[in-house]
Amino acid sequence: MLALQKMTGAQRIAWVFLFPNLLIFGLFTFLPIFLNFFYATTGSDRILLPDRPYVGLENFQSLLACESYLDPNSCARDIFWRAVHNTGWFVILQVGFMILFSLVTAMVLNRDIPLRGFFRSVFFYPVLLSPVVVALIWKWILQRYGVLNAGLEAWELPVTNWLVEADWAFFWIVFVSIWAHMGFYTLILLAGLQAIPSDVYEAAEMDGASKWRVFSKITMPLLMPTMVVVIVLSLIRAVQAFDEIFVLTGGGPGSATTLLLQYIYETGFAYRPQLFGLAAAASLLMAAVLLVLTLLQLAATRRQAEG
Amino acid sequence: MKTSHLLSGIAFAAMFAAVPVSAAELRFACYQDGVECDAWSEAFKTFESENPGTTVAVDVVPYKSIVEGLPLQLASGEGPDLARVTDLGGLAQYMLDVTPYVSDAAKIEEQYGKTLAWTRVNGPDDKGIYAIMDQQTATGPFVNKTLFDQAGVEMPGKGATYEDWAKAAKEVAEKTQTPYPMAMDRSGHRYMGPAISYGAKVFDDQGNPITVDDGFRGWSEQFVEWNNDGTVAKEVWAGAGGSSYQDAAKEFTNGSLVMYVSGSWQIGRFGRDIGDAFDWVAVPAPCGPGGCTGIPGGAAIAAFKHTKSPEELGKLIEFISREDVQAEVLAKTKNIPANQSLQVKGIDYENASEDEKAALTTFASALSEFSPVAFQFQGYKNNRAIMNAIATRVTQAIVGESTLDEALERVDTDVKEAVAAAK
């Protein structure tokens, strides 16, 4: 090792240790991204890049061709735009409500309540379940002759075909996703809350600050770095949502719960012919949107910190 | 003297050690609806005993892997040596013509020629042997006979229309308080049987797809209406998205469905799952202005070009084609034979109930009366693109995302785009 350090120099030896990880990261992350750019500019259903004809930006043009972006039916790729709209609403609702519920739960679990350890476990448990298991459990609950309808019928309440009605299906994919992932973010926020010094709260209490004032002037500002992490992670995760939804609803009814990642998967792999170029273009557009959102988020956070 | 003996011994051992022993392992990717992979695994033991040094490794995989994963493997020059597949036309480009490696190609042609045509995509002169059907299937309806009996409703006979069956099934459902009068697998393949019966021509004179025409439209209008008025179980088609396949077998086996449009591959499953819970029957394909047809199909065991053991693969394909081997496997899987001789002789199905035997007979008989258009559709190399478009777009019409006119226009557009991309 000393000989190696002498050979490379003290500064460069770090790269030697990083090389294996960089090699794997490059091979399985950067190379696919790099290839994706090429695929996005090709047509045909051939899988091997040399066999695919160059089509320039045709795939992007096809995806973006609309008379009105607010009306998917006016678009050449109507299902892509349905997926865009669905993803947008899903992100807003899922991220918004999940963070709210996670924060409330974390604040409750941060108090000295009976059976606190048990409840922390209960809220975290869904995170440990496979997404497929989560979806199958809820599918069993929500299907026409499932547990929920059986219960409602027993109480002589109206039943609904929950997964066949578009609005209800969308509600349930948001609900199930929150249920499945809330525990993870609750845990992060709980850690953030526990990192806040207790003497700050004691000082506020001595000064007679109201609970809302304590929350808005002490808890939230001090929790903001953790909150940024939660927002960024949950946002990215929401845009990339696929697994629970695909098993629960298959993107249906129709395409009411088809999100972007499912569109990409189906376009590139499930449909015949397999339109890899179109799928690659869609994934790049999604990545671009994600990048912009993340940068905006970080910029807003930086401004808030500086203010 | 001892040294001399030692050297002699070494020479003797080296003589045998130098003799090369050929060995080949053929990998078979297999999906099963029932017990098909198990039956073939058992049959291949005979092949291995007849061909020392060659082994067949059966990898049981989900059907989804065959549909989505296998084409990618093959396109990149990888994958199993052979696979049990259904997309014969679509995968034909990757298949190996084993004619040079079989001992009696003429016999295989004689016994399987009709279905071999489905893999011959290289023009009228293509006489290759690429895959052997291990079952032939027919799409069509199953009916819960017990419910009809309980309701006191007479089942429509041969020649009855879809409307006749819908009316009868609704009456039965009402009288017996059964949730679903009718259901159809969410599949473009199931859809095309009634579509052709309603008069869909599917192809023009040059063999190009003209999916949407008056016949196709007529069936689509009816199907969408029935989904929305409760005649057809809406959740089967509306409860999924994209081109996802969804069946209604569970609803049929638990007795909550009067009439189920699926296919003959379900027979073994129904025999096992229904048992003596109720009587069930397969019925001939209902009729429309265009005839009385389902879609033929089935699974075939296909050889692939990238194999490193073409000779052994050819022998295996020939083994699979043998009448005695087919009979043995089909007796266990309870499927309709593709082998011409066995179609005449019949199969002595193992442990088959009377319902199973009757259903197999019905489907085999119906198959012989299917429309030539249905056979043409089954062999069309881009038929899966048509099926995907149907599942996606018709569902959009059912759930109201688009009007039926818009949906059918999209079907047409999707198919044209797919055909262009696949060239």
Side-chain angles (χ1 to χ4, degrees):
Chain A
M1 185 61 65
L2 185 59
L4 181 61
Q5 185 171 347
K6 286 181 178 178
M7 184 185 302
T8 62
Q11 298 299 320
R12 293 195 183 92
I13 195 170
W15 290 104
V16 175
F17 298 126
L18 287 172
F19 178 75
N21 181 267
L22 288 175
L23 179 63
I24 293 172
F25 192 71
L27 189 62
F28 292 105
T29 302
F30 284 126
L31 180 59
I33 292 173
F34 183 72
L35 289 174
N36 213 33
F37 281 95
F38 284 99
Y39 271 95
T41 59
T42 62
S44 179
D45 65 341
R46 307 287 183 174
I47 188 174
L48 299 179
L49 202 52
D51 298 334
R52 300 175 61 85
Y54 175 74
V55 297
L57 298 177
E58 190 175 301
N59 288 321
F60 294 96
Q61 291 166 351
S62 179
L63 288 169
L64 298 175
C66 288
E67 291 178 15
S68 168
Y69 291 116
L70 299 179
D71 178 14
N73 280 344
S74 73
C75 302
R77 301 289 173 184
D78 64 308
I79 296 178
F80 170 75
W81 282 100
R82 289 185 189 283
V84 168
H85 289 197
N86 292 340
T87 302
W89 282 112
F90 182 84
V91 168
I92 291 169
L93 295 172
Q94 196 262 5
V95 172
F97 282 107
M98 184 165 66
I99 290 176
L100 175 63
F101 294 155
S102 297
L103 180 60
V104 170
T105 304
M107 292 179 71
V108 171
L109 295 178
N110 195 38
R111 294 170 176 270
D112 187 15
I113 60 174
L115 299 174
R116 182 170 63 179
F118 169 76
F119 284 114
R120 286 181 178 179
S121 300
V122 166
F123 278 102
F124 190 73
Y125 181 73
V127 178
L128 303 178
L129 297 175
S130 156
V132 172
V133 171
V134 168
L136 290 176
I137 289 170
W138 281 98
K139 193 166 188 175
W140 178 66
I141 293 170
L142 298 171
Q143 60 194 357
R144 180 166 173 174
Y145 294 100
V147 173
L148 179 56
N149 275 350
L152 292 172
E153 199 162 11
W155 292 328
E156 297 182 1
L157 296 171
V159 299
T160 302
N161 211 339
W162 303 107
L163 300 179
V164 179
E165 301 296 329
D167 292 340
W168 275 116
F170 195 88
F171 166 83
W172 285 112
I173 66 167
V174 173
F175 181 96
V176 170
S177 183
I178 291 172
W179 181 86
H181 299 285
M182 190 183 83
F184 176 72
Y185 301 108
T186 297
L187 200 66
I188 297 176
L189 292 172
L190 182 59
L193 289 171
Q194 291 179 338
I196 298 173
S198 59
D199 55 354
V200 178
Y201 289 111
E202 291 169 0
E205 186 178 354
M206 290 179 66
D207 289 343
S210 68
K211 289 184 176 180
W212 169 250
R213 194 166 181 84
V214 168
F215 175 76
S216 62
K217 297 300 183 181
I218 297 175
T219 304
M220 283 307 295
L222 293 176
L223 192 63
M224 189 51 66
T226 305
M227 184 62 73
V228 169
V229 172
V230 167
I231 291 172
V232 172
L233 290 178
S234 61
L235 187 66
I236 293 171
R237 174 62 180 155
V239 174
Q240 296 177 336
F242 176 60
D243 34 22
E244 293 119 358
I245 298 168
F246 189 67
V247 177
L248 182 61
T249 63
S255 52
T257 58
T258 298
L259 304 193
L260 266 174
L261 205 53
Q262 179 176 339
Y263 174 82
I264 293 166
Y265 161 72
E266 292 192 331
T267 300
F269 301 102
Y271 280 14
R272 276 294 178 282
Q274 295 169 314
L275 301 177
F276 302 113
L278 200 63
S283 71
L284 289 177
L285 289 176
M286 183 175 83
V289 170
L290 264 179
L291 181 61
V292 169
L293 287 175
T294 303
L295 291 176
L296 288 175
Q297 210 172 12
L298 294 176
T301 305
R302 187 177 298 111
R303 278 201 302 273
Q304 186 173 5
E306 290 170 353
Chain B
M1 178 59 72
K2 289 184 178 180
T3 301
S4 175
H5 289 162
L6 178 61
L7 290 174
S8 296
I10 291 172
F12 184 81
M15 184 184 298
F16 285 94
V19 175
V21 178
S22 64
E25 181 186 62
L26 300 172
R27 296 209 76 89
F28 174 38
C30 182
Y31 84 91
Q32 57 186 4
D33 299 302
V35 298
E36 290 83 3
C37 304
D38 304 324
W40 279 115
S41 290
E42 192 65 27
F44 290 150
K45 292 177 183 177
T46 300
F47 174 81
E48 290 171 349
S49 69
E50 294 175 0
N51 297 274
T54 303
T55 58
V56 184
V58 179
D59 299 315
V60 183
V61 299
Y63 180 63
K64 200 174 182 71
S65 293
I66 296 290
V67 173
E68 296 180 7
L70 182 62
L72 295 177
Q73 290 182 294
L74 298 176
S76 61
E78 303 289 336
D81 297 283
L82 67 171
R84 188 167 186 263
V85 302
T86 55
D87 184 14
L88 302 185
L91 296 177
Q93 60 182 308
Y94 308 114
M95 294 180 188
L96 172 71
D97 179 4
V98 298
T99 304
Y101 311 110
V102 301
S103 63
D104 193 349
K107 185 172 184 180
I108 295 175
E109 178 70 35
E110 176 193 352
Q111 294 297 320
Y112 298 94
K114 195 169 187 180
T115 54
L116 286 174
W118 289 341
T119 56
R120 292 169 170 167
V121 298
N122 300 309
D125 296 328
D126 185 357
K127 302 298 180 187
I129 299 172
Y130 302 96
I132 300 295
M133 305 291 291
D134 78 345
Q135 68 179 34
Q136 198 163 5
T137 61
T139 64
F142 293 93
V143 176
N144 186 322
K145 182 176 181 298
T146 297
L147 288 175
F148 268 85
D149 293 341
Q150 290 174 351
V153 175
E154 188 176 351
M155 273 197 288
K158 187 174 181 180
T161 64
Y162 275 95
E163 291 85 351
D164 295 333
W165 274 104
K167 182 180 177 183
K170 286 179 73 174
E171 186 178 358
V172 170
E174 288 167 0
K175 289 183 173 178
T176 59
Q177 296 186 338
T178 302
Y180 307 110
M182 298 173 71
M184 175 189 282
D185 292 334
R186 185 174 192 262
S187 163
H189 192 260
R190 295 316 95 74
Y191 194 87
M192 287 304 290
I196 295 170
S197 297
Y198 266 66
K201 293 183 173 59
V202 190
F203 301 102
D204 63 18
D205 292 340
Q206 286 74 47
N208 300 311
I210 52 165
T211 312
V212 180
D213 58 11
D214 289 345
F216 189 92
R217 178 178 295 276
W219 166 242
S220 300
E221 290 172 350
Q222 185 68 85
F223 187 68
V224 170
E225 179 186 327
W226 280 344
N227 269 271
N228 286 314
D229 70 13
T231 302
V232 169
K234 188 174 181 180
E235 45 261 66
V236 179
W237 278 66
S243 61
S244 298
Y245 171 81
Q246 187 150 266
D247 70 24
K250 182 179 66 176
E251 286 78 4
F252 188 73
T253 58
N254 68 23
S256 60
L257 172 60
V258 178
M259 179 181 180
Y260 173 36
V261 179
S262 187
S264 59
W265 59 90
Q266 301 278 22
I267 292 170
R269 174 179 181 179
F270 289 164
R272 293 193 310 275
D273 294 352
I274 296 173
D276 58 358
F278 59 85
D279 292 330
W280 55 276
V281 294
V283 298
C287 302
C292 320
T293 190
I295 302 294
I301 299 178
F304 296 120
K305 288 176 182 175
H306 64 264
T307 182
K308 295 181 172 60
S309 306
E311 294 86 356
E312 288 81 3
L313 188 50
K315 288 181 181 178
L316 181 57
I317 292 292
E318 187 158 34
F319 172 85
I320 290 166
S321 76
R322 276 167 37 183
E323 183 181 322
D324 61 318
V325 174
Q326 288 273 326
E328 179 188 337
V329 170
L330 288 163
K332 298 173 182 174
T333 65
K334 299 174 188 174
N335 285 310
I336 302 167
N339 181 286
Q340 295 293 304
S341 294
L342 291 176
Q343 287 181 357
V344 175
K345 294 179 182 178
I347 301 289
D348 185 15
Y349 296 106
E350 293 180 7
N351 303 314
S353 68
E354 292 304 312
D355 286 349
E356 288 176 298
K357 291 177 182 177
L360 286 159
T361 300
T362 298
F363 276 117
S365 177
L367 191 58
S368 65
E369 299 176 5
F370 278 1
S371 165
V373 175
F375 279 90
Q376 185 181 4
F377 175 73
Q378 177 62 18
Y380 179 55
K381 67 176 183 176
N382 292 318
N383 64 7
R384 196 162 289 269
I386 297 175
M387 292 188 273
N388 287 159
I390 290 168
T392 303
R393 302 301 184 182
V394 171
T395 302
Q396 287 186 294
I398 291 169
V399 304
E401 282 185 355
S402 60
T403 65
L404 180 59
D405 286 342
E406 289 169 341
L408 296 183
E409 188 176 337
R410 294 280 188 180
V411 169
D412 190 59
T413 303
D414 289 351
V415 171
K416 286 177 179 174
E417 180 188 35
V419 171
K423 286 181 177 176

